[in-house]
Amino acid sequence: MNTNTVENGNIVENLSTVQQRIEEAAKKANRSPDEITLVAVSKRHSEESIRIAYAAGQRDFGENYAQELRDKATNLKDLTEIRWHFIGNLQRNKIKYVAPFVNLLETVDSFKFVGDLAAYAKKIEKKVSCLLQVNVGEEIQKSGCSTVEAAEIMGAIDKEEWLSLDGLMTIPPWDLDAQQTRTHFSALKKLQLENGGRDRLPILSMGMSHDFDVAIEEGATHVRVGTAIFGTRAPR
Ligand SMILES: *Cc1c(COP(=O)(O)O)cnc(C)c1O
């Protein structure tokens, strides 16, 4: 795994700029910035970059690759308040690399995955918090379950003693303009309201570097921001 970093500028400064954008978007939407958790997406960035962000107060970090999460979580164990989010496609045979370390697994999207994750969580006796990843736009190539399957998969997660369903996550297609992206975010919000609302599904994870302001206006509680904090990623 290549975690060499192409650092653009200053991580600490970038973090504070992103926090300001979060505050402005929240204000615009009449929300409290305290409702919004910034997940710093550190995939393909170095452990040193994570340490710098952590020293500046950042606690939630997002990773996309199973072994990379395992290695970073192991090497950064001394950062005792760090919280790891897994936000990538997770093959079922790699659950073992992620489940022991993760604080929120954001990409649960099928009955099969729920079954395997629950079995592994039971084996290691760890209650795993997860989000259901929904492909609200029904793009063929994207991961995430369809809105039609969503309710049933939520029910399957609820039945599992070793899993906790904490909310919903979505990734809109990359090539949309802001207004089209907004449609995806509001669709995820609608799905939350139709399935028990905030009481059952407190977390809405949506929005990235280029569109998290819009996501906050549409109700995001978690925004996943990589490039705007850490700069361009090294090629994989
Ligand atoms: C990489 C990634 C992000 C961060 O993207 P940026 O554009 O760098 O902010 C957010 N969410 C997911 C699921 C990702 O894979």
Side-chain angles (χ1 to χ4, degrees), residues 156-204:
I157 299 171
D158 280 341
K159 283 199 199 106
E160 295 293 347
E161 189 187 345
W162 291 96
L163 300 184
S164 157
L165 174 65
D166 291 354
L168 305 174
M169 181 267 212
T170 197
I171 312 172
W174 308 94
D175 53 351
L176 299 184
D177 65 38
Q179 283 316 312
Q180 291 171 309
T181 310
R182 190 184 290 280
T183 311
H184 283 71
F185 296 151
S186 59
L188 197 70
K189 176 80 188 173
K190 179 159 170 273
L191 198 65
Q192 178 199 41
L193 295 176
E194 291 167 351
N195 288 278
R198 277 202 242 176
D199 288 341
R200 183 184 182 204
L201 303 167
I203 295 178
L204 284 184

Side-chain angles (χ1 to χ4, degrees), residues 1-7 9-12 15 38-65 67-85 103 225-226 229-231 233:
M1 179 77 52
N2 178 5
T3 51
N4 288 336
T5 311
V6 186
E7 304 291 15
N10 185 324
I11 291 171
V12 177
L15 256 178
L38 170 60
V39 179
V41 178
S42 45
K43 63 182 178 204
R44 306 206 312 263
H45 285 281
S46 67
E47 288 165 7
E48 192 47 39
S49 300
I50 295 174
R51 286 187 183 279
I52 292 167
Y54 185 94
Q58 179 62 31
R59 290 295 178 266
D60 292 85
F61 292 85
E63 290 286 338
N64 280 54
Y65 307 104
Q67 286 99 325
E68 188 176 338
L69 171 65
R70 176 200 58 189
D71 294 347
K72 284 175 170 171
T74 305
N75 296 336
L76 297 170
K77 261 210 288 276
D78 58 304
L79 309 182
T80 52
E81 290 173 17
I82 204 164
R83 288 185 293 270
W84 294 106
H85 296 244
N103 295 86
V225 181
I229 297 170
F230 295 111
R233 285 178 283 273

